[in-house]
């Protein structure tokens, strides 16, 4: 007997597909390109949104403050009006030396160092370029030193070595023995002021300013005590806490910005 039962229909998924034509491949490639473009655009927008959000958060942060509530971020003009455009000058600058200095404090008589040599403490010592000499006045604060320049100049920085930066031949550390200045106020001839915070350590500490001036007056605001010192022979000397010393003050001016007559 012959089986005349017709064959079962084949599942269309099992049937082999004809190969894609050239037009079909072009359509597939175009679709893939479109999907990739959408993904790239979305990633860019997401990254931009995250960046903008971070910038807004960073821009809203308040400057840090110390225990007294004073802003300490930036390390430049901590108080007062510098008289400038609010930005620190970062271009070339040149050293400038005052042509005159005038202290308004009680002078201190000369002292004898460990070698028996006398040393004076005149105001001129603060601008002589030698940190081993010092300007010294009685008292612990309030001393002022006014300096003037030959002409009006655009100051870029002010700097101070805030003590008597000297060690005697016998090893006596005069910087440690004397008071150290930790804060001064600068007043310029237009009446504007800036305050400079200082660390009680050796060396010139500078602060950027943006100020056109012919005169600048330094006022000592705060100081810290000196300590007893011992020389190499084991002899101890008491601290000098009834006087205040500054080894050096220094200035720089913007190069070629109205100060050429003063710096050449």
């Amino acid at each position: 007997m012959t089986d005349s039962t017709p064959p079962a229909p084949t599942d269309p998924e099992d049937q082999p597909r004809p190969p894609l034509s050239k037009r079909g491949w072009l359509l597939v490639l175009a679709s893939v390109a479109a999907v990739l473009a959408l993904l790239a655009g979305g990633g860019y927008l997401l990254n931009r949104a995250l960046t903008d959000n971070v910038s807004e958060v960073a821009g809203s942060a308040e400057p840090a403050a110390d225990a007294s509530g004073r802003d300490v971020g930036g390390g430049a003009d901590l108080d007062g009006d510098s008289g400038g455009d609010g930005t620190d000058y970062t271009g070339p600058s040149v050293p400038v030396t005052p042509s005159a200095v005038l202290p308004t404090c009680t002078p201190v008589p000369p002292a004898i160092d460990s070698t028996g040599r006398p040393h004076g403490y005149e105001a001129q010592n603060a601008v002589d370029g030698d940190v081993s000499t010092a300007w010294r006045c009685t008292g612990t604060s309030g001393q002022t030193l006014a300096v003037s320049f030959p002409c009006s100049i655009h100051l870029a920085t002010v700097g101070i070595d805030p003590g008597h930066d000297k060690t005697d031949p016998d090893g006596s550390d005069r910087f440690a023995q004397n008071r150290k200045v930790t804060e001064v106020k600068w007043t310029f001839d237009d009446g504007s002021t800036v305050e400079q915070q200082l660390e009680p350590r050796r060396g010139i500490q500078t602060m950027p300013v943006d100020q056109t001036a012919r005169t600048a007056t330094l006022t000592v605001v705060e100081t810290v005590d000196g300590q007893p010192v011992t020389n190499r022979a084991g002899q101890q000397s008491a601290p000098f806490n009834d006087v205040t010393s500054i080894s050096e003050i220094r200035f720089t001016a913007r190069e070629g910005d109205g100060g050429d007559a003063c710096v050449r």
Side-chain angles (χ1 to χ4, degrees):
M1 176 185 282
T2 302
D3 187 359
S4 60
T5 303
T10 305
D11 188 344
E13 293 294 333
D14 295 335
Q15 295 184 15
R17 297 178 180 177
L20 288 175
S21 64
K22 181 177 181 180
R23 177 187 173 96
W25 279 113
L26 290 175
L27 289 174
V28 170
L29 292 174
S31 299
V32 171
V35 170
L36 291 176
L38 287 173
L39 290 174
Y44 169 79
L45 292 174
L46 177 59
N47 182 66
R48 180 64 179 271
L50 290 173
T51 302
D52 291 344
N53 186 52
V54 170
S55 299
E56 290 174 3
V57 172
S60 64
E62 295 295 330
D66 62 14
S68 65
R70 175 167 35 213
D71 293 345
V72 296
D77 299 344
L78 299 176
D79 193 21
D81 178 12
S82 68
D85 58 11
T87 58
D88 294 336
Y89 177 66
T90 58
S93 60
V94 291
V96 288
T97 302
S99 55
V101 291
L102 178 65
T104 56
C105 58
T106 303
V108 174
I112 305 298
D113 68 13
S114 62
T115 64
R117 293 189 307 165
H119 291 274
Y121 298 101
E122 299 84 7
Q124 189 65 34
N125 289 349
V127 294
D128 65 357
D130 182 359
V131 297
S132 69
T133 65
W135 164 60
R136 177 183 288 177
C137 288
T138 59
T140 61
S141 65
Q143 301 88 344
T144 64
L145 182 67
V147 303
S148 61
F149 303 97
C151 62
S152 183
I153 59 175
H154 202 139
L155 292 173
T157 65
V158 292
I160 304 173
D161 193 336
H164 193 183
D165 196 351
K166 178 187 178 185
T167 301
D168 275 8
D170 71 345
S172 298
D173 186 347
R174 302 306 182 190
F175 188 84
Q177 188 178 24
N178 281 264
R179 300 191 71 84
K180 273 75 68 179
V181 178
T182 55
E183 182 180 347
V184 300
K185 180 174 72 172
W186 293 96
T187 304
F188 303 101
D189 43 3
D190 65 354
S192 61
T193 63
V194 293
E195 290 184 7
Q196 183 177 6
Q197 308 294 322
L198 300 156
E199 296 291 333
R201 57 175 172 79
R202 294 177 183 272
I204 301 293
Q205 299 176 46
T206 62
M207 181 183 74
V209 294
D210 180 15
Q211 178 68 46
T212 300
R214 187 167 184 176
T215 65
T217 300
L218 175 154
T219 302
V220 176
V221 177
E222 291 183 2
T223 59
V224 296
D225 289 345
Q227 298 82 40
V229 296
T230 303
N231 64 16
R232 282 190 288 269
Q235 300 168 321
Q236 189 177 80
S237 300
F240 296 145
N241 281 332
D242 57 348
V243 296
T244 296
S245 307
I246 291 180
S247 278
E248 198 76 13
I249 59 174
R250 292 182 184 172
F251 305 88
T252 65
R254 292 189 179 192
E255 186 177 38
D257 190 10
D260 287 355
C262 298
V263 299
R264 289 183 178 176

